[in-house]
Amino acid sequence: MRNDTSTDTVALARAEALFVSDMPGMTHPEPADIAEAIRVAFRRYGGAHACAAEMAAAFGDYPETSARRMTWARDQIDRLHPHSEVP
């Protein structure tokens, strides 16, 4: 069952950075590759807020594929950084 990352701002920022990264979607990358993709995205775009802005622009430009990419990104973050489920 998917953890609710919407209440975890760090997980959400990681997912947004992974979303805007060059990492091919719909894959199961290694943890080190995901961490590097997130670091590169933060540096490239100038931090978490800029990654979120880029992600929002992608949703506006490509709504048909953006939802799937964000689901993939959140799944990868949940897989690497599981947290307790809220009852």
Side-chain angles (χ1 to χ4, degrees):
M1 180 177 174
R2 171 192 289 271
N3 291 322
D4 183 8
T5 57
S6 64
T7 58
D8 184 343
T9 57
V10 173
L12 185 57
R14 287 175 176 148
E16 290 166 347
L18 187 58
F19 177 96
V20 299
S21 76
D22 292 334
M23 177 77 59
M26 305 309 149
T27 61
H28 290 80
E30 295 296 319
D33 295 331
I34 291 173
E36 180 63 14
I38 291 168
R39 279 192 293 276
V40 168
F42 281 150
R43 281 193 303 266
R44 177 182 298 148
Y45 295 105
H49 287 98
C51 286
E54 286 294 318
M55 183 196 69
F59 266 93
D61 294 340
Y62 308 103
E64 66 282 356
T65 58
S66 294
R68 279 181 283 152
R69 181 150 176 97
M70 189 56 173
T71 297
W72 167 82
R74 288 182 57 160
D75 287 346
Q76 298 313 302
I77 299 305
D78 286 348
R79 181 172 62 91
L80 295 179
H81 303 284
H83 53 280
S84 308
E85 291 187 35
V86 178

